[in-house]
Amino acid sequence: MRARPLHAVSTFERGLAGAETNVAVGLARLGHRSGWIGRVGADPFGTYALETLRAEGVDTRATSIDGTAPTGFQLKGLALGGDPEVRYFRAGSAGSRLASTQDTDQAIASARHLHLTGIPLALSASTRAFALRALEIARAHGATVSFDPNIRPTLWTSEAELIDTTNAIAARADWVLPGRSEGRLLTGRDSADGIADFYLGLGASRVAVKDGAAGASLHAAGHRWDHAGFRVSVVDTVGAGDGFAAGLISAYLDGLDDASALERASAVGALATTHRGDRDGLPTREQLSAFTAGATLAPAP
């Protein structure tokens, strides 16, 4: 088996992907009640997405079906230990027409925690308005909010708009979870401390800076926790950040302290890289316990 450019591939394997669905599935596998709010087309891809999420135990009752727009999709090349080639087909998709409804408002109002990514901010005016309303409802009902910038530069009209809009949302989140390269772009600062200080200054109570194989750090006012990462055989890096988010949210929902939360996030993120599919490596609680009991830390870079 070898990786080839997408234009040379003749056989594809279907799989469910997406930053938000990955986090929802990750939390469900860890024993939490999770729901995904989105919009899919009345087509085979949409049916597959909903059936797969429901089979994973994810609540999709606030998800809507669009009778005129197709389900968005992406093509991802085979990755053998690194980053794969990815092409998105989202313009005009059902997902780009996501809007608030009574069902979505009620689902958000009843949640303990809301997880947002920067992707809806870039897809359309409708999805951006939905993200802003979701944040307002969560805040009004006392839920905590995590935000993963998850930036997709090709979806934005300009870098300035990307930075301004993303940071405006980050300023209203409790926990901000940038990758270090994202943090450099969004804050103009290079170090994990500098990136964290930027978002702590905007009002976040916790900032987790992910740095790939170099591990991750978690920051609060006057405090920093580090984790070197776990040694695993990497198959595909896509979804590692989503696994990290699921692990961190899970830990805080369980009442773990910051150091333990960072360890769980790092473990789930590492396991996510051990399979080809975006969600295939996300562990159950039993699998996570078995992994952390026998895992070794990655060597210092």
Side-chain angles (χ1 to χ4, degrees):
M1 184 179 293
R2 63 188 180 89
R4 293 187 293 169
L6 285 171
H7 74 268
V9 176
S10 58
T11 302
F12 293 84
E13 181 178 314
R14 182 188 62 180
L16 181 65
E20 298 84 3
T21 58
N22 292 339
V23 174
V25 169
L27 286 167
R29 289 188 184 177
L30 290 171
H32 300 279
R33 294 174 57 197
S34 70
W36 178 72
I37 299 176
R39 190 173 179 88
V40 300
D43 51 43
F45 282 168
T47 301
Y48 165 73
L50 292 179
E51 288 184 350
T52 302
L53 286 168
R54 290 165 185 159
E56 291 279 5
V58 176
D59 189 339
T60 62
R61 286 177 292 179
T63 296
S64 55
I65 299 175
D66 193 313
T68 59
T71 303
F73 70 98
Q74 67 180 26
L75 297 179
K76 185 176 81 168
L78 181 65
L80 299 176
D83 296 332
E85 178 185 3
V86 178
R87 292 290 182 268
Y88 299 99
F89 298 86
R90 287 173 166 156
S93 68
S96 71
R97 296 163 69 168
L98 176 64
S100 296
T101 66
Q102 185 177 7
D103 287 341
T104 64
D105 288 354
Q106 290 176 346
I108 295 163
S110 66
R112 291 174 58 197
H113 182 81
L114 173 69
H115 180 67
L116 293 170
T117 80
I119 297 172
L121 305 180
L123 287 180
S124 69
S126 174
T127 56
R128 186 179 300 183
F130 171 83
L132 288 167
R133 181 169 175 79
L135 195 156
E136 291 171 356
I137 293 171
R139 283 291 197 193
H141 287 82
T144 49
V145 178
S146 55
F147 177 64
D148 185 340
N150 222 318
I151 59 175
R152 302 288 189 269
T154 58
L155 297 176
W156 292 87
T157 57
S158 73
E159 185 175 284
E161 182 189 28
L162 182 164
I163 293 171
D164 292 344
T165 305
T166 302
N167 285 338
I169 293 293
R172 302 172 69 181
D174 296 290
W175 317 329
V176 184
L177 319 177
R180 186 167 176 181
S181 61
E182 290 177 322
R184 290 191 190 104
L185 174 63
L186 293 169
T187 70
R189 304 180 182 186
D190 184 68
S191 69
D193 284 335
I195 294 165
D197 286 345
F198 179 89
Y199 288 114
L200 291 171
L202 291 182
S205 63
R206 297 290 185 275
V207 180
V209 182
K210 300 162 288 184
D211 200 9
S217 55
L218 180 62
H219 306 253
H223 299 279
R224 171 173 172 158
W225 300 266
D226 289 276
H227 197 281
F230 291 97
R231 189 194 301 270
V232 295
S233 296
V234 175
V235 175
D236 188 334
T237 59
V238 174
D242 305 328
F244 184 97
L248 193 73
I249 295 167
S250 168
Y252 281 139
L253 291 177
D254 284 347
L256 299 188
D257 62 32
D258 293 289
S260 299
L262 180 59
E263 180 180 48
R264 180 180 292 184
S266 299
V268 179
L271 285 168
T273 70
T274 61
H275 291 69
R276 283 194 296 169
D278 287 15
R279 63 186 172 85
D280 295 345
L282 296 171
T284 64
R285 195 166 289 247
E286 293 73 20
Q287 291 168 334
L288 177 62
S289 295
F291 172 73
T292 53
T296 57
L297 292 177

